Amino acid sequence: MADLFGGGVRPEARRGRGAGSNHDGRFERFQHVREDDGWTLEEDAPLRTEVIEDASRTVLARNTSPDVPFDRSINPYRGCEHGCIYCFARPTHAFLGLSPGLDFETRILVKSDAPARLVEELRRPRYTVRPIAMGTNTDPYQPIERDRRIMRGILEVLEACNHPVTIVTKGGLIARDIDILGAMARRRLVHVAISVTTLDPHLARAMEPRAATPALRLRTVRALVKAGIPTGVMMAPIIPALTDHEIERVLAAAAAAGAKNTSYVCLRLPREVAPLFRDWLSEVMPDRAPRILRYVREMHGGKDYDAEWGKRMTGEGVYAELIARRFHLAREREGLRAISPSLDTRSFRRPERAGDQLALDL
């Protein structure tokens, strides 16, 4: 049996992780596979999370995609311990010379100086204000944030200079920052979306092994709403023939928790995510795998994934239209909005630094 250098990884080693393999990234010259010759007697040791300092010089990432509602984002971490098997961000690890499989979950790059770099970027004379999106690639409230506190540092910078931010997360740790988020909410500077994929705790644990349980995510929605923080629920991704039967239940639970708006994204399987997801289905629910994959491909023009703008988020075809119709009807029935409230972009003031010349009030 192959080990960490390619192919399947023994269950003993990957317990609590999402992916079942660790193939080299697509840009690597060689693919490494080490075979068990029968002489290895010891079991694989459990995989540990390795933290690597990110050497990126900038913290703000720009986006020009016409089908997403933001043009800039921050990702404090590259890779994500949540280990969601369906995560569309997995292929980004290949650009680092790492595997989109288990490396993505266990080798996490951290931007320790992100708050300081953000200050410098916000101070630039030509900087113009629009909401910064967080949680659009990897989760800013993944487990490592408990100790690193990089996300909290970023929020402190944004709150101090009245800069608007939107946050998407599966992490209950966001409740730690209610003090900052509450202060920003009173100035219309923040909107939060909690991602809920399923209400089934067993399925959630299999798909998202280190993310917060569905019950904790809903309690987090209640806590944020109670603190006056505009909060919605995003059902993402909706997986055909696996989680789509829960659409009405998820939206009803979201409304009961106090969410004000909701949205959804259908399953996306770009590049290395497709084989990882197929392998996971074959291991966890082999009897249902063919049906699930058939509907996935039906929604993407016969392929595992179609990256065309305007289609990649919702899919196309009869099954995609059925999901959209059901979601819209359930949203109307629960009295939820389709869009999040607008945020204030006029009260921004550039971060101050010792030695700055004071502005003259004329």
Side-chain angles (χ1 to χ4, degrees):
M1 176 184 288
D3 69 358
L4 288 181
F5 295 95
V9 178
R10 291 186 180 93
E12 295 83 3
R14 56 184 170 88
R15 185 173 291 113
R17 304 293 182 176
S21 61
N22 206 42
H23 293 290
D24 292 291
R26 62 186 180 278
F27 301 113
E28 302 310 298
R29 184 178 178 185
F30 300 105
Q31 294 291 314
H32 297 83
V33 177
R34 190 170 67 191
E35 297 293 338
D36 188 345
D37 60 4
W39 288 93
T40 303
L41 300 179
E42 68 276 7
E43 293 184 343
D44 288 312
L47 291 171
R48 305 291 183 185
T49 298
E50 178 185 355
V51 178
I52 305 168
E53 287 294 330
D54 191 313
S56 300
R57 296 184 178 181
T58 60
V59 68
L60 278 175
R62 300 288 178 169
N63 170 71
T64 58
S65 301
D67 57 352
V68 294
F70 61 88
D71 69 349
R72 65 200 70 183
S73 61
I74 298 176
N75 291 287
Y77 306 101
R78 301 172 80 175
C80 186
E81 279 190 286
H82 282 164
C84 302
I85 189 58
Y86 51 73
C87 182
F88 69 88
R90 284 181 176 273
T92 60
H93 245 43
F95 290 98
L96 306 173
L98 301 172
S99 172
L102 286 164
D103 277 351
F104 180 79
E105 309 170 38
T106 61
R107 304 184 71 180
I108 311 299
L109 279 76
V110 302
K111 301 178 183 179
S112 298
D113 61 351
R117 290 192 177 277
L118 177 60
V119 168
E120 294 304 314
E121 293 189 44
L122 297 183
R123 283 175 52 82
R124 292 175 180 170
R126 294 186 179 181
Y127 180 79
T128 56
V129 182
R130 290 193 67 183
I132 293 173
M134 304 198 66
T136 58
N137 198 45
T138 57
D139 202 312
Y141 284 106
Q142 58 180 284
I144 197 174
E145 167 64 16
R146 190 176 303 278
D147 296 323
R148 290 289 173 150
R149 300 173 69 87
I150 300 173
M151 177 62 174
R152 184 171 177 89
I154 290 171
L155 289 178
E156 289 171 343
V157 170
L158 297 177
E159 193 273 335
C161 62
N162 290 335
H163 197 296
V165 63
T166 63
I167 303 169
V168 178
T169 182
K170 292 183 176 72
L173 183 59
I174 190 174
R176 177 201 65 188
D177 295 335
I178 279 180
D179 56 335
I180 300 177
L181 297 173
M184 296 182 76
R186 289 189 287 274
R187 285 173 273 160
R188 293 193 303 111
L189 294 173
V190 65
H191 179 268
V192 174
I194 302 296
S195 176
V196 178
T197 50
T198 177
L199 299 180
D200 181 344
H202 301 292
L203 178 57
R205 185 57 59 216
M207 288 197 305
E208 313 152 339
R210 297 198 176 198
T213 64
L216 177 55
R217 295 182 217 182
L218 292 172
R219 289 199 300 271
T220 302
V221 172
R222 293 189 184 95
L224 294 170
V225 170
K226 184 178 179 181
I229 300 163
T231 306
V233 165
M234 175 182 288
M235 190 171 180
I238 294 178
I239 304 176
L242 182 59
T243 65
D244 59 322
H245 69 283
E246 295 189 70
I247 290 174
E248 291 79 9
R249 292 179 55 222
V250 168
L251 267 60
K260 303 304 180 184
N261 61 283
T262 186
S263 60
Y264 78 96
V265 176
C266 285
L267 179 66
R268 301 163 57 189
L269 299 176
R271 296 190 180 275
E272 293 92 344
V273 187
L276 287 168
F277 185 74
R278 287 196 300 266
D279 290 346
W280 177 83
L281 281 177
S282 297
E283 179 180 0
V284 176
M285 48 189 70
D287 56 328
R288 301 176 64 181
R291 183 166 177 260
I292 293 169
L293 292 172
R294 175 164 58 86
Y295 282 123
V296 168
R297 290 166 183 149
E298 179 183 313
M299 294 172 62
H300 293 287
K303 300 178 290 185
D304 287 330
Y305 178 58
D306 182 356
E308 184 177 345
W309 287 330
K311 296 180 181 179
R312 57 180 182 160
M313 304 289 190
T314 57
E316 60 180 335
V318 174
Y319 206 91
E321 292 173 2
L322 177 61
I323 287 176
R325 181 63 175 162
R326 286 176 54 203
F327 192 92
H328 295 157
L329 287 174
R331 181 165 58 197
E332 292 177 4
R333 182 167 57 250
E334 300 299 337
L336 297 165
R337 295 190 295 265
I339 59 175
S340 57
S342 60
L343 301 179
D344 178 19
T345 58
R346 297 185 177 183
S347 59
F348 170 73
R349 56 176 182 267
R350 299 187 191 283
E352 296 179 357
R353 187 168 55 189
D356 283 350
Q357 181 177 345
L358 298 178
L360 298 176
D361 294 326
L362 301 178

